[in-house]
Amino acid sequence: MIYNDVHEAKDTYKDLVPSHNIEAYDFSILNGDSFHYVTNQKDITEKLLQPFSFFETSRPFIMNRGNHETRGSFSRLFKKLFGYPENKFYQSFKLGPIYWILLDSGEDKPDTHEVYGGTVDYDNYRKEQAIWLEKVLQSKERKASQHTVVVSHIPIFHSDDWHGTLHNRSCFHPLFQKYKIDAMITGHTHKYGYYPPDKDHNYTIFIGGGPKVGERTIIDVNGDKKSLDIKMIKDNGDVLGHLKKA
């Protein structure tokens, strides 16, 4: 199950578990903006680890950074607090029939924006990920998988025309098209959306909702050798988008 944009609304973690059944899940992904800012250990403990303890004490979860996870002095310690293979905030792995690719979409503003004070270089960071992404999309492990799902915080379509959106699109979209992923799961906008393949993208895009009650969503991913089944479920139980792919 994939969360996004919880923004410190601690009850959300339990509220959104479909049928309140964690036994159905092998792992969970927090796809960005679990926090506003991370300034001390108390933020991590009280705003995430304690409210999510019903799940994360018995099953693994992945902290996939959003733009807010890059903010606050304690964000620099994320690699000591959460496991990141090869010491990178992006990663890929095969689990069952699904090949998972988790990207770090970075910040939404240009690197030159005054709020960063000249301390960031997300453009080159995304270019670095694009080089890596093409390699993993051509890997034997990925080719041996029945399905490919990409998880990244900032959507590259059906969002806005800010720098982060457009630069993520220019870096990653051509590779998604060329190597034919099945779905991209995102958040960031606080406005849920489900977008099947169209003239702009040949893969399905999910955009999870925001942190307010009535706008919250969770994304349920299930796969076997025969099919891929992804549902976006609202906090009242309504299914807002459903990809069923054989």
Short mmCIF file of all heavy atoms in Angstrom, two decimals, residues 103 133 137 142 148-150 154-158 165 168-186 194-206 228 230 243 245:
data_model
loop_
_atom_site.label_atom_id
_atom_site.label_comp_id
_atom_site.label_asym_id
_atom_site.label_seq_id
_atom_site.Cartn_x
_atom_site.Cartn_y
_atom_site.Cartn_z
N LEU A 103 11.85 6.71 -7.67
CA LEU A 103 12.64 7.88 -8.03
C LEU A 103 12.52 8.96 -6.96
O LEU A 103 11.50 9.05 -6.27
CB LEU A 103 12.19 8.44 -9.37
CG LEU A 103 12.35 7.52 -10.58
CD1 LEU A 103 11.69 8.14 -11.81
CD2 LEU A 103 13.83 7.25 -10.86
N LEU A 133 18.31 5.18 -14.51
CA LEU A 133 17.00 4.63 -14.87
C LEU A 133 17.07 3.85 -16.18
O LEU A 133 16.50 2.75 -16.28
CB LEU A 133 15.98 5.76 -14.99
CG LEU A 133 14.59 5.38 -15.48
CD1 LEU A 133 13.90 4.42 -14.51
CD2 LEU A 133 13.73 6.65 -15.67
N LEU A 137 16.07 -0.14 -16.52
CA LEU A 137 14.98 -0.53 -17.40
C LEU A 137 15.42 -1.57 -18.43
O LEU A 137 14.60 -2.32 -18.96
CB LEU A 137 14.40 0.70 -18.11
CG LEU A 137 13.50 1.59 -17.25
CD1 LEU A 137 13.22 2.91 -17.96
CD2 LEU A 137 12.19 0.89 -16.91
N ARG A 142 14.73 -6.65 -14.63
CA ARG A 142 13.51 -5.95 -15.05
C ARG A 142 12.85 -6.68 -16.22
O ARG A 142 11.62 -6.84 -16.26
CB ARG A 142 13.85 -4.51 -15.43
CG ARG A 142 12.61 -3.65 -15.70
CD ARG A 142 12.31 -3.52 -17.18
NE ARG A 142 10.98 -2.96 -17.40
CZ ARG A 142 10.57 -2.50 -18.57
NH1 ARG A 142 11.37 -2.53 -19.63
NH2 ARG A 142 9.33 -2.05 -18.72
N THR A 148 6.03 -3.49 -14.50
CA THR A 148 6.94 -2.45 -14.02
C THR A 148 6.12 -1.28 -13.49
O THR A 148 5.29 -0.71 -14.21
CB THR A 148 7.87 -1.95 -15.14
OG1 THR A 148 8.61 -3.06 -15.67
CG2 THR A 148 8.83 -0.90 -14.62
N VAL A 149 6.37 -0.93 -12.23
CA VAL A 149 5.66 0.16 -11.57
C VAL A 149 6.69 1.18 -11.08
O VAL A 149 7.64 0.83 -10.39
CB VAL A 149 4.82 -0.34 -10.38
CG1 VAL A 149 4.18 0.82 -9.63
CG2 VAL A 149 3.75 -1.31 -10.88
N VAL A 150 6.47 2.44 -11.43
CA VAL A 150 7.34 3.53 -10.99
C VAL A 150 6.62 4.32 -9.90
O VAL A 150 5.44 4.66 -10.04
CB VAL A 150 7.70 4.47 -12.16
CG1 VAL A 150 8.45 5.70 -11.67
CG2 VAL A 150 8.52 3.73 -13.21
N ILE A 154 6.46 13.68 -7.43
CA ILE A 154 5.92 14.75 -8.30
C ILE A 154 5.42 14.15 -9.60
O ILE A 154 6.16 13.47 -10.31
CB ILE A 154 6.99 15.82 -8.58
CG1 ILE A 154 7.39 16.53 -7.27
CG2 ILE A 154 6.48 16.84 -9.59
CD1 ILE A 154 8.48 17.58 -7.43
N PRO A 155 4.13 14.40 -9.96
CA PRO A 155 3.63 13.90 -11.24
C PRO A 155 4.30 14.63 -12.40
O PRO A 155 4.70 15.79 -12.27
CB PRO A 155 2.13 14.25 -11.21
CG PRO A 155 1.83 14.65 -9.79
CD PRO A 155 3.11 15.14 -9.21
N ILE A 156 4.40 13.96 -13.54
CA ILE A 156 5.02 14.61 -14.70
C ILE A 156 4.00 15.04 -15.74
O ILE A 156 4.36 15.72 -16.71
CB ILE A 156 6.10 13.70 -15.33
CG1 ILE A 156 5.52 12.36 -15.77
CG2 ILE A 156 7.23 13.47 -14.33
CD1 ILE A 156 6.55 11.46 -16.45
N PHE A 157 2.75 14.66 -15.54
CA PHE A 157 1.63 15.16 -16.35
C PHE A 157 0.45 15.41 -15.41
O PHE A 157 0.44 14.96 -14.26
CB PHE A 157 1.21 14.14 -17.43
CG PHE A 157 2.17 14.02 -18.57
CD1 PHE A 157 3.08 12.97 -18.62
CD2 PHE A 157 2.16 14.94 -19.62
CE1 PHE A 157 3.96 12.84 -19.68
CE2 PHE A 157 3.04 14.83 -20.68
CZ PHE A 157 3.95 13.78 -20.71
N HIS A 158 -0.55 16.13 -15.91
CA HIS A 158 -1.79 16.36 -15.18
C HIS A 158 -1.52 17.06 -13.84
O HIS A 158 -2.19 16.80 -12.84
CB HIS A 158 -2.54 15.05 -14.95
CG HIS A 158 -2.65 14.22 -16.17
ND1 HIS A 158 -3.43 14.57 -17.26
CD2 HIS A 158 -2.05 13.03 -16.51
CE1 HIS A 158 -3.32 13.65 -18.19
NE2 HIS A 158 -2.48 12.72 -17.77
N THR A 165 8.03 19.80 -12.11
CA THR A 165 7.20 18.95 -12.97
C THR A 165 7.82 18.78 -14.35
O THR A 165 7.96 17.66 -14.86
CB THR A 165 5.80 19.57 -13.11
OG1 THR A 165 5.19 19.67 -11.82
CG2 THR A 165 4.92 18.75 -14.04
N ASN A 168 11.31 16.88 -14.32
CA ASN A 168 11.09 15.44 -14.13
C ASN A 168 10.58 14.81 -15.42
O ASN A 168 11.00 13.72 -15.80
CB ASN A 168 10.10 15.20 -12.99
CG ASN A 168 10.74 15.12 -11.63
OD1 ASN A 168 11.29 14.09 -11.24
ND2 ASN A 168 10.70 16.22 -10.88
N ARG A 169 9.66 15.51 -16.09
CA ARG A 169 9.11 14.98 -17.34
C ARG A 169 10.21 14.83 -18.39
O ARG A 169 10.31 13.79 -19.06
CB ARG A 169 8.01 15.89 -17.87
CG ARG A 169 7.33 15.35 -19.13
CD ARG A 169 6.42 16.39 -19.76
NE ARG A 169 5.41 16.86 -18.82
CZ ARG A 169 4.59 17.88 -19.07
NH1 ARG A 169 4.68 18.55 -20.21
NH2 ARG A 169 3.70 18.25 -18.17
N SER A 170 11.03 15.86 -18.56
CA SER A 170 12.05 15.80 -19.61
C SER A 170 13.09 14.73 -19.32
O SER A 170 13.64 14.11 -20.25
CB SER A 170 12.71 17.18 -19.78
OG SER A 170 13.47 17.52 -18.63
N CYS A 171 13.36 14.47 -18.04
CA CYS A 171 14.37 13.47 -17.69
C CYS A 171 13.86 12.04 -17.82
O CYS A 171 14.58 11.15 -18.28
CB CYS A 171 14.85 13.71 -16.26
SG CYS A 171 15.90 15.16 -16.04
N PHE A 172 12.62 11.81 -17.39
CA PHE A 172 12.15 10.43 -17.21
C PHE A 172 11.11 9.96 -18.22
O PHE A 172 11.09 8.78 -18.57
CB PHE A 172 11.58 10.26 -15.79
CG PHE A 172 12.52 10.68 -14.70
CD1 PHE A 172 12.10 11.50 -13.66
CD2 PHE A 172 13.84 10.25 -14.71
CE1 PHE A 172 12.97 11.89 -12.66
CE2 PHE A 172 14.73 10.64 -13.70
CZ PHE A 172 14.29 11.46 -12.68
N HIS A 173 10.26 10.85 -18.67
CA HIS A 173 9.16 10.43 -19.54
C HIS A 173 9.62 9.72 -20.82
O HIS A 173 9.04 8.68 -21.19
CB HIS A 173 8.27 11.62 -19.87
CG HIS A 173 7.25 11.35 -20.93
ND1 HIS A 173 6.24 10.42 -20.76
CD2 HIS A 173 7.09 11.88 -22.18
CE1 HIS A 173 5.49 10.40 -21.87
NE2 HIS A 173 5.99 11.26 -22.73
N PRO A 174 10.63 10.24 -21.54
CA PRO A 174 11.06 9.53 -22.76
C PRO A 174 11.46 8.09 -22.48
O PRO A 174 11.23 7.20 -23.32
CB PRO A 174 12.24 10.37 -23.25
CG PRO A 174 12.00 11.74 -22.70
CD PRO A 174 11.39 11.51 -21.35
N LEU A 175 12.04 7.83 -21.31
CA LEU A 175 12.45 6.47 -20.97
C LEU A 175 11.24 5.60 -20.62
O LEU A 175 11.19 4.42 -20.98
CB LEU A 175 13.44 6.50 -19.80
CG LEU A 175 14.73 7.27 -20.09
CD1 LEU A 175 15.58 7.39 -18.82
CD2 LEU A 175 15.53 6.59 -21.20
N PHE A 176 10.26 6.17 -19.93
CA PHE A 176 9.03 5.43 -19.65
C PHE A 176 8.35 5.03 -20.95
O PHE A 176 7.83 3.91 -21.07
CB PHE A 176 8.06 6.28 -18.82
CG PHE A 176 8.56 6.67 -17.46
CD1 PHE A 176 8.01 7.76 -16.81
CD2 PHE A 176 9.56 5.97 -16.81
CE1 PHE A 176 8.43 8.15 -15.55
CE2 PHE A 176 10.01 6.34 -15.56
CZ PHE A 176 9.44 7.43 -14.92
N GLN A 177 8.31 5.93 -21.89
CA GLN A 177 7.67 5.65 -23.18
C GLN A 177 8.43 4.56 -23.93
O GLN A 177 7.84 3.60 -24.44
CB GLN A 177 7.65 6.92 -24.04
CG GLN A 177 6.76 8.03 -23.56
CD GLN A 177 5.29 7.79 -23.83
OE1 GLN A 177 4.58 7.27 -22.96
NE2 GLN A 177 4.82 8.17 -24.98
N LYS A 178 9.74 4.73 -24.00
CA LYS A 178 10.56 3.82 -24.80
C LYS A 178 10.54 2.40 -24.26
O LYS A 178 10.41 1.43 -25.01
CB LYS A 178 12.00 4.34 -24.85
CG LYS A 178 12.96 3.46 -25.65
CD LYS A 178 14.36 4.08 -25.68
CE LYS A 178 15.31 3.21 -26.47
NZ LYS A 178 16.69 3.81 -26.49
N TYR A 179 10.65 2.27 -22.93
CA TYR A 179 10.78 0.94 -22.33
C TYR A 179 9.46 0.41 -21.75
O TYR A 179 9.42 -0.66 -21.18
CB TYR A 179 11.88 0.96 -21.27
CG TYR A 179 13.24 1.24 -21.86
CD1 TYR A 179 13.84 2.50 -21.72
CD2 TYR A 179 13.91 0.28 -22.61
CE1 TYR A 179 15.07 2.76 -22.27
CE2 TYR A 179 15.15 0.54 -23.18
CZ TYR A 179 15.73 1.78 -23.01
OH TYR A 179 16.96 2.05 -23.59
N LYS A 180 8.41 1.20 -21.89
CA LYS A 180 7.04 0.74 -21.64
C LYS A 180 6.80 0.24 -20.22
O LYS A 180 6.65 -0.97 -19.99
CB LYS A 180 6.64 -0.32 -22.68
CG LYS A 180 6.63 0.25 -24.09
CD LYS A 180 6.24 -0.76 -25.13
CE LYS A 180 6.24 -0.12 -26.52
NZ LYS A 180 5.96 -1.08 -27.60
N ILE A 181 6.75 1.19 -19.30
CA ILE A 181 6.33 0.85 -17.94
C ILE A 181 4.81 0.66 -17.93
O ILE A 181 4.11 1.05 -18.88
CB ILE A 181 6.74 1.95 -16.94
CG1 ILE A 181 5.97 3.26 -17.20
CG2 ILE A 181 8.25 2.18 -17.00
CD1 ILE A 181 6.12 4.30 -16.13
N ASP A 182 4.29 0.08 -16.86
CA ASP A 182 2.85 -0.11 -16.74
C ASP A 182 2.14 1.06 -16.08
O ASP A 182 1.06 1.48 -16.50
CB ASP A 182 2.56 -1.39 -15.95
CG ASP A 182 3.00 -2.63 -16.69
OD1 ASP A 182 2.38 -2.94 -17.72
OD2 ASP A 182 3.96 -3.27 -16.25
N ALA A 183 2.75 1.58 -15.01
CA ALA A 183 2.07 2.64 -14.26
C ALA A 183 3.09 3.49 -13.53
O ALA A 183 4.17 3.02 -13.15
CB ALA A 183 1.09 2.04 -13.25
N MET A 184 2.71 4.75 -13.31
CA MET A 184 3.48 5.68 -12.48
C MET A 184 2.56 6.13 -11.36
O MET A 184 1.44 6.61 -11.60
CB MET A 184 3.96 6.87 -13.30
CG MET A 184 4.84 7.82 -12.51
SD MET A 184 5.39 9.24 -13.49
CE MET A 184 6.63 9.92 -12.37
N ILE A 185 3.04 6.01 -10.11
CA ILE A 185 2.25 6.37 -8.94
C ILE A 185 2.88 7.58 -8.27
O ILE A 185 4.06 7.57 -7.92
CB ILE A 185 2.18 5.17 -7.96
CG1 ILE A 185 1.43 4.01 -8.63
CG2 ILE A 185 1.51 5.57 -6.65
CD1 ILE A 185 1.44 2.72 -7.84
N THR A 186 2.09 8.65 -8.11
CA THR A 186 2.60 9.94 -7.66
C THR A 186 1.69 10.56 -6.60
O THR A 186 0.74 9.93 -6.13
CB THR A 186 2.73 10.90 -8.85
OG1 THR A 186 1.41 11.22 -9.35
CG2 THR A 186 3.54 10.30 -9.99
N TYR A 194 -6.81 10.00 -11.76
CA TYR A 194 -6.50 8.72 -12.40
C TYR A 194 -6.50 8.96 -13.90
O TYR A 194 -7.49 9.42 -14.48
CB TYR A 194 -7.54 7.68 -12.02
CG TYR A 194 -7.45 6.40 -12.82
CD1 TYR A 194 -6.39 5.52 -12.65
CD2 TYR A 194 -8.44 6.06 -13.76
CE1 TYR A 194 -6.30 4.35 -13.39
CE2 TYR A 194 -8.36 4.89 -14.50
CZ TYR A 194 -7.29 4.04 -14.31
OH TYR A 194 -7.21 2.89 -15.04
N TYR A 195 -5.39 8.64 -14.56
CA TYR A 195 -5.22 8.99 -15.97
C TYR A 195 -4.70 7.79 -16.76
O TYR A 195 -3.50 7.48 -16.71
CB TYR A 195 -4.25 10.17 -16.09
CG TYR A 195 -4.70 11.37 -15.31
CD1 TYR A 195 -4.20 11.61 -14.02
CD2 TYR A 195 -5.65 12.25 -15.81
CE1 TYR A 195 -4.63 12.69 -13.28
CE2 TYR A 195 -6.09 13.34 -15.08
CZ TYR A 195 -5.57 13.55 -13.81
OH TYR A 195 -6.01 14.63 -13.07
N PRO A 196 -5.58 7.11 -17.47
CA PRO A 196 -5.15 6.00 -18.34
C PRO A 196 -4.26 6.51 -19.46
O PRO A 196 -4.15 7.73 -19.68
CB PRO A 196 -6.48 5.46 -18.89
CG PRO A 196 -7.53 5.97 -17.97
CD PRO A 196 -7.03 7.29 -17.48
N PRO A 197 -3.62 5.61 -20.21
CA PRO A 197 -2.79 6.04 -21.33
C PRO A 197 -3.55 6.94 -22.29
O PRO A 197 -4.74 6.74 -22.55
CB PRO A 197 -2.41 4.71 -21.99
CG PRO A 197 -2.46 3.71 -20.88
CD PRO A 197 -3.59 4.14 -20.01
N ASP A 198 -2.87 7.96 -22.82
CA ASP A 198 -3.48 8.88 -23.77
C ASP A 198 -2.43 9.32 -24.77
O ASP A 198 -1.37 8.69 -24.89
CB ASP A 198 -4.12 10.07 -23.04
CG ASP A 198 -3.12 10.91 -22.24
OD1 ASP A 198 -1.89 10.78 -22.50
OD2 ASP A 198 -3.54 11.69 -21.38
N LYS A 199 -2.68 10.40 -25.48
CA LYS A 199 -1.76 10.84 -26.53
C LYS A 199 -0.42 11.32 -25.97
O LYS A 199 0.58 11.37 -26.69
CB LYS A 199 -2.40 11.97 -27.34
CG LYS A 199 -2.72 13.22 -26.55
CD LYS A 199 -3.36 14.28 -27.41
CE LYS A 199 -3.73 15.53 -26.61
NZ LYS A 199 -2.57 16.16 -25.96
N ASP A 200 -0.39 11.67 -24.69
CA ASP A 200 0.84 12.19 -24.09
C ASP A 200 1.68 11.11 -23.43
O ASP A 200 2.91 11.23 -23.37
CB ASP A 200 0.50 13.26 -23.05
CG ASP A 200 -0.09 14.52 -23.67
OD1 ASP A 200 0.40 14.92 -24.74
OD2 ASP A 200 -1.05 15.07 -23.09
N HIS A 201 1.05 10.08 -22.88
CA HIS A 201 1.80 9.03 -22.17
C HIS A 201 1.15 7.68 -22.43
O HIS A 201 -0.08 7.56 -22.40
CB HIS A 201 1.88 9.32 -20.68
CG HIS A 201 0.57 9.65 -20.03
ND1 HIS A 201 -0.30 8.70 -19.55
CD2 HIS A 201 -0.03 10.84 -19.79
CE1 HIS A 201 -1.37 9.28 -19.03
NE2 HIS A 201 -1.24 10.57 -19.17
N ASN A 202 1.97 6.67 -22.66
CA ASN A 202 1.45 5.33 -22.98
C ASN A 202 1.36 4.43 -21.74
O ASN A 202 1.26 3.22 -21.85
CB ASN A 202 2.29 4.66 -24.08
CG ASN A 202 3.75 4.47 -23.69
OD1 ASN A 202 4.11 4.58 -22.51
ND2 ASN A 202 4.60 4.19 -24.67
N TYR A 203 1.37 5.01 -20.56
CA TYR A 203 1.27 4.30 -19.28
C TYR A 203 0.24 5.03 -18.42
O TYR A 203 -0.08 6.20 -18.64
CB TYR A 203 2.63 4.27 -18.58
CG TYR A 203 3.34 5.61 -18.55
CD1 TYR A 203 3.17 6.49 -17.48
CD2 TYR A 203 4.16 6.01 -19.61
CE1 TYR A 203 3.80 7.72 -17.47
CE2 TYR A 203 4.79 7.23 -19.60
CZ TYR A 203 4.61 8.09 -18.53
OH TYR A 203 5.22 9.31 -18.53
N THR A 204 -0.28 4.32 -17.44
CA THR A 204 -1.28 4.89 -16.54
C THR A 204 -0.60 5.71 -15.44
O THR A 204 0.43 5.31 -14.92
CB THR A 204 -2.11 3.76 -15.89
OG1 THR A 204 -2.80 3.05 -16.93
CG2 THR A 204 -3.13 4.32 -14.91
N ILE A 205 -1.20 6.85 -15.10
CA ILE A 205 -0.69 7.70 -14.03
C ILE A 205 -1.74 7.81 -12.92
O ILE A 205 -2.90 8.13 -13.18
CB ILE A 205 -0.34 9.11 -14.55
CG1 ILE A 205 0.82 9.03 -15.56
CG2 ILE A 205 0.04 10.04 -13.39
CD1 ILE A 205 1.19 10.36 -16.21
N PHE A 206 -1.32 7.53 -11.70
CA PHE A 206 -2.12 7.76 -10.51
C PHE A 206 -1.55 8.96 -9.76
O PHE A 206 -0.34 9.04 -9.55
CB PHE A 206 -2.07 6.55 -9.57
CG PHE A 206 -2.76 5.31 -10.06
CD1 PHE A 206 -2.13 4.43 -10.91
CD2 PHE A 206 -4.06 5.02 -9.65
CE1 PHE A 206 -2.76 3.28 -11.36
CE2 PHE A 206 -4.70 3.87 -10.08
CZ PHE A 206 -4.05 3.00 -10.94
N LEU A 228 -1.79 -7.37 -13.27
CA LEU A 228 -1.43 -6.27 -12.38
C LEU A 228 -2.72 -5.56 -12.00
O LEU A 228 -3.52 -5.20 -12.88
CB LEU A 228 -0.47 -5.31 -13.07
CG LEU A 228 -0.06 -4.07 -12.28
CD1 LEU A 228 0.78 -4.45 -11.07
CD2 LEU A 228 0.73 -3.11 -13.19
N ILE A 230 -4.13 -2.36 -9.71
CA ILE A 230 -3.83 -1.18 -8.90
C ILE A 230 -5.11 -0.39 -8.69
O ILE A 230 -5.80 -0.03 -9.65
CB ILE A 230 -2.78 -0.27 -9.56
CG1 ILE A 230 -1.50 -1.06 -9.89
CG2 ILE A 230 -2.44 0.92 -8.66
CD1 ILE A 230 -0.44 -0.24 -10.61
N LEU A 243 -6.66 0.22 -12.31
CA LEU A 243 -5.95 -0.37 -13.44
C LEU A 243 -5.93 -1.87 -13.26
O LEU A 243 -5.40 -2.40 -12.27
CB LEU A 243 -4.52 0.17 -13.51
CG LEU A 243 -3.58 -0.55 -14.50
CD1 LEU A 243 -4.04 -0.37 -15.93
CD2 LEU A 243 -2.14 -0.06 -14.32
N LYS A 245 -4.65 -4.99 -15.49
CA LYS A 245 -3.91 -5.26 -16.71
C LYS A 245 -3.42 -6.69 -16.73
O LYS A 245 -2.72 -7.14 -15.81
CB LYS A 245 -2.72 -4.29 -16.80
CG LYS A 245 -2.00 -4.29 -18.12
CD LYS A 245 -1.00 -3.15 -18.18
CE LYS A 245 -0.33 -3.11 -19.55
NZ LYS A 245 0.64 -1.98 -19.62
#
